[in-house]
Amino acid sequence: MGETFLSIDNVTKSFGQTTVVRNVDIAIDKGEFVSFLGPSGCGKTTTLRMVAGFEGPTTGRILIDGKDVTNLKPNQRNIGMVFQSYALFPNMTVAQNIAFGLKVAGASSVAIASRVKEMLGIIKLPEHGGRYPFQLSGGQQQRVALARALAVKPSVLLLDEPLSALDAKIRISLRAEIRAIQRELGITTIYVTHDQEEALSMSDRIVVMNEGRVEQIGTPLEIYNKPSSRFVASFVGTLTILPAKIVNASKGTLSLDGQSIHAGKKFTGAPGKAVSVALRPEAIAIGKGGTNANRLDAKVASVNFLGSIVRVKVRTGTQDISLDMFNQSTTAPPKVGEKVTVNFNPDDLVVLDGPAEG
Amino acid sequence: MKGKTWAWITFALGCTYFFVPLIATIEFSMRMKRGVYSFEAYRVVFGDERFQATFGYSILIAALTIIVGILIVVPTAYWIRLRLPKLRPVVEFITLLPLIIPAIVIVFGYLRMYNSSSWLPFTATRRGTDILLMFGYVTLALPYMYRAVDTGLRTIDVQTLTEAAQILGAKWPTIIAKVILPNVLIAVLSGAFLTFAIVIGEFTMASLLDRPAFGPYLQNIGANRAYEPAALAIIAFFITWGCMAVIQILSRYAPKSASRPN
């Protein structure tokens, strides 16, 4: 962990009687790329807008580089922002858009020209300076918006769902480009998204938010492999949540559909208590597995081909479990109705408090 | 096929209704010299000093009306869209009032409020009355100017563009002058030309405030001459049409966006 550069300090935001952000506490290091991930209405954009200065917190503080900016206007914070709808100025060319912030800051025309050229190079659009936004594709417009935000050398870069208006292919290439530029410039960045794949692939750390609260902060691996709550477990990645009963908490044994399984991580609860267990599809395999593996007898209910992956749904008594297999030409996927044994590592089993919903 | 025939008949009837009086007025305006068609009436009109003086006066007042109208309406419409969207119906209603309240009522109200013995005696001096007339025209043009600007603002994402400019360090004057106004300029110009067309022929206010405007001059000539009023009507008509044509031409140069590329 480096030193904290951007601190969102116990921030709450209410609109009238409705509280949309509750006691959010986040510390971001210099040069770190942090994603705010969560469903619509979880408060991620409002938190970002408070960092930008477009909304004021009801309580709490925001500090950048040790300076309290809570009461500063957006134009006094030296922050760059990229909007979902690009927000390029339609009356200005690409070069004029990139130069806007520098002109406002009173930079010399020589310095502006040089910086605009540099930024056009960084976003790989060196020949597009004279074009108007409407003459560019969505992806190009968003790259220009990024260049415009970065041209003023901001201390923090905010990206508010910048790729959600683009098609899938452009999105994937652009997210790699954004991350590469961010790494190159070493700028502290907050990225708001509801797309878990984007967050997992781009971020140093992810802040998972739900109903205005921070559910978990961690690296993509921690968020995916060690979800701290039922919400995080179900929101990030595909997950099968099954009802189970505690047999012996101290020994880590549970009963799933009458079959005995054991969990690698500790849990508590009286014997017979209803809990739920969560499993990722990629953690389950067909076959008997190693000596320590949990094994369940099941019947293949469906087989779905997803390209590089084949998703198989198996039924263990009353419960359906999804598992992923790599699509290999040497191994044929199982047939529907076939009896199989599935196995999974006890460490991959997450025991959640309370019975499974739905 | 039958529907198309009826469409053409309706179109022809409309054209007849519109063009016959126009052609008749043009024809009459050219009969000042006996037995031949000439532009004598136009020569007389353009040569009349009062025409030049009143027309010049009305152009000046129209220009001032447009400037003051833009300064009032653009920031207001922008602020309503950005910060007070709930007030939009109220403001729209207020801007429509000049269409409901006759000009004569407005001007009598002005005379009562701003006469030489009032707390703000606009009518005590000629310059003051000119200013009062100009503000009267700003009020008369409000429905057209506000609607034109509001429609222009609707075509752009006012909030996001404002925020994008703000985060880049811009303050309000820069945001309005460099980002908002250029993107609604065509709409503003449309409003400006409509204002010009209204002011140039307006009679009631100018007459009751006793100002030497083009409207009262038109009325005066109409009451005392035969051919010149027809020539003046055609001139006024072409000025108005000219304004409309300029609006049409300018709208082709409206700022384009990705969502509105043509």
Side-chain angles (χ1 to χ4, degrees):
Chain A
M1 291 290 280
E3 60 179 297
T4 299
F5 184 73
L6 170 62
S7 177
I8 300 169
D9 194 358
N10 201 22
V11 162
T12 295
K13 176 68 183 173
S14 303
F15 294 100
Q17 298 294 312
T18 317
T19 302
V20 291
V21 174
R22 295 161 199 268
N23 308 106
V24 167
D25 233 346
I26 305 166
I28 300 171
D29 295 343
K30 193 163 178 61
E32 202 179 9
F33 192 115
V34 172
S35 291
F36 290 178
L37 176 67
S40 298
C42 71
K44 56 189 191 296
T45 295
T46 307
T47 308
L48 187 87
R49 288 174 65 79
M50 287 192 281
V51 175
F54 296 132
E55 308 284 354
T58 308
T59 59
R61 301 185 307 162
I62 292 165
L63 293 100
I64 297 176
D65 203 8
K67 185 182 167 193
D68 189 342
V69 298
T70 317
N71 297 315
L72 290 185
K73 290 174 183 169
N75 55 15
Q76 297 169 327
R77 296 191 180 199
N78 189 30
I79 283 175
M81 185 158 172
V82 177
F83 298 83
Q84 183 182 351
S85 58
Y86 323 133
L88 293 178
F89 306 130
N91 57 311
M92 297 181 198
T93 62
V94 166
Q96 287 167 338
N97 264 284
I98 297 172
F100 184 85
L102 298 164
K103 267 191 178 172
V104 168
S108 71
S109 52
V110 178
I112 292 174
S114 150
R115 183 70 175 152
V116 167
K117 197 176 168 195
E118 186 190 346
M119 293 316 300
L120 284 170
I122 288 175
I123 58 165
K124 298 187 182 82
L125 292 172
E127 309 298 323
H128 291 63
R131 295 202 186 169
Y132 280 90
F134 77 93
Q135 294 171 313
L136 305 176
S137 68
Q140 287 173 329
Q141 286 191 59
Q142 202 54 295
R143 274 145 76 187
V144 174
L146 180 65
R148 183 181 66 177
L150 293 169
V152 291
K153 297 186 177 166
S155 55
V156 176
L157 176 66
L158 309 177
L159 300 115
D160 185 9
E161 307 208 25
L163 308 180
S164 59
L166 303 170
D167 62 63
K169 214 169 180 178
I170 305 278
R171 229 163 36 214
I172 290 168
S173 71
L174 208 50
R175 73 187 182 204
E177 248 178 83
I178 289 172
R179 183 62 166 132
I181 291 170
Q182 186 271 338
R183 275 208 178 107
E184 192 185 322
L185 301 177
I187 185 166
T188 310
T189 303
I190 300 179
Y191 189 99
V192 162
T193 182
H194 60 263
D195 184 333
Q196 44 165 305
E197 201 180 301
E198 246 170 57
L200 291 169
S201 66
M202 295 174 83
S203 321
D204 291 320
R205 280 192 303 156
I206 298 172
V207 177
V208 183
M209 293 184 73
N210 183 36
E211 292 179 349
R213 293 180 203 281
V214 172
E215 289 272 346
Q216 189 177 355
I217 304 177
T219 64
L221 275 174
E222 284 167 352
I223 296 287
Y224 193 83
N225 292 332
K226 294 171 186 167
S228 65
S229 68
R230 180 189 292 263
F231 173 79
V232 177
S234 59
F235 187 74
V236 180
T238 309
L239 198 74
T240 305
I241 298 180
L242 304 160
K245 275 185 182 156
I246 294 175
V247 176
N248 189 332
S250 59
K251 288 182 180 171
T253 51
L254 301 114
S255 163
L256 174 67
D257 248 348
Q259 303 190 54
S260 176
I261 55 170
H262 54 283
K265 288 160 208 152
K266 282 181 181 171
F267 61 91
T268 54
K273 185 191 173 190
V275 290
S276 38
V277 292
L279 277 165
R280 299 267 182 218
E282 65 274 17
I284 310 165
I286 292 176
K288 294 196 181 298
T291 46
N292 289 329
N294 283 305
R295 295 186 191 99
L296 293 170
D297 294 323
K299 199 187 239 184
V300 177
S302 67
V303 178
N304 285 310
F305 177 64
L306 302 174
S308 60
I309 279 171
V310 179
R311 181 154 294 169
V312 181
K313 197 175 266 182
V314 295
R315 179 158 274 256
T316 61
T318 58
Q319 302 301 321
D320 285 336
I321 301 175
S322 287
L323 65 97
D324 285 349
M325 298 170 62
F326 280 116
N327 174 27
Q328 290 169 319
S329 56
T330 49
T331 318
K335 290 186 172 61
V336 174
E338 194 179 325
K339 282 187 176 172
V340 290
T341 300
V342 294
N343 72 84
F344 53 90
N345 194 310
D347 287 335
D348 291 328
L349 188 78
V350 180
V351 181
L352 302 166
D353 206 24
E357 288 157 8
Chain B
M1 198 60 200
K2 199 178 173 185
K4 218 173 186 180
T5 311
W6 274 110
W8 278 109
I9 290 170
T10 314
F11 180 69
L13 281 171
C15 284
T16 310
Y17 179 78
F18 180 75
F19 281 110
V20 166
L22 188 66
I23 292 163
T25 311
I26 293 172
E27 196 266 350
F28 183 73
S29 72
M30 295 173 80
R31 283 166 59 177
M32 195 170 181
K33 279 188 177 174
R34 271 187 197 187
V36 286
Y37 282 125
S38 72
F39 290 101
E40 183 62 14
Y42 294 89
R43 193 193 60 76
V44 171
V45 165
F46 284 124
D48 185 352
E49 275 181 12
R50 283 181 302 157
F51 169 82
Q52 293 160 12
T54 55
F55 196 61
Y57 176 86
S58 284
I59 285 180
L60 180 68
I61 292 289
L64 291 172
T65 304
I66 288 165
I67 292 165
V68 173
I70 289 171
L71 288 176
I72 293 172
V73 169
V74 173
T76 308
Y78 169 63
W79 203 247
I80 295 286
R81 278 215 161 256
L82 190 67
R83 292 276 185 267
L84 306 163
K86 282 183 184 169
L87 270 186
R88 257 188 81 209
V90 178
V91 175
E92 277 194 7
F93 176 74
I94 291 168
T95 61
L96 280 175
L97 285 177
L99 291 180
I100 303 159
I101 303 167
I104 197 160
V105 175
I106 295 172
V107 79
F108 267 112
Y110 283 171
L111 285 170
R112 215 178 148 71
M113 286 289 293
Y114 306 118
N115 61 53
S116 52
S117 55
S118 73
W119 61 278
L120 201 57
F122 271 119
T123 58
T125 61
R126 279 189 206 164
R127 193 63 70 236
T129 318
D130 291 339
I131 292 168
L132 187 60
L133 179 65
M134 186 266 295
F135 275 111
Y137 287 159
V138 170
T139 310
L140 278 191
L142 203 55
Y144 310 100
M145 185 59 104
Y146 185 84
R147 235 142 226 85
V149 173
D150 195 48
T151 305
L153 288 171
R154 206 175 299 168
T155 62
I156 58 171
D157 186 346
V158 172
Q159 172 141 4
T160 315
L161 288 181
T162 302
E163 288 179 352
Q166 268 184 316
I167 203 91
L168 288 165
K171 292 179 179 156
W172 290 116
T174 311
I175 294 169
I176 293 180
K178 298 275 173 65
V179 177
I180 302 301
L181 194 56
N183 284 303
V184 296
L185 192 60
I186 303 305
V188 170
L189 286 174
S190 298
F193 282 107
L194 282 170
T195 305
F196 183 82
I198 291 164
V199 172
I200 213 73
E202 203 281 331
F203 169 76
T204 316
M205 282 192 168
S207 176
L208 287 169
L209 288 172
D210 193 26
R211 300 315 301 138
F214 191 55
Y217 169 75
L218 279 178
Q219 189 277 333
N220 186 264
I221 292 289
N224 299 302
R225 306 278 184 85
Y227 299 100
E228 288 89 335
L232 278 168
I234 296 302
I235 291 165
F237 178 84
F238 277 105
I239 289 168
T240 313
W241 246 34
C243 289
M244 299 300 150
V246 171
I247 293 169
Q248 288 295 319
I249 292 163
L250 285 175
S251 63
R252 293 185 182 186
Y253 297 98
K256 295 170 174 69
S257 64
S259 59
R260 196 166 56 89
N262 295 308

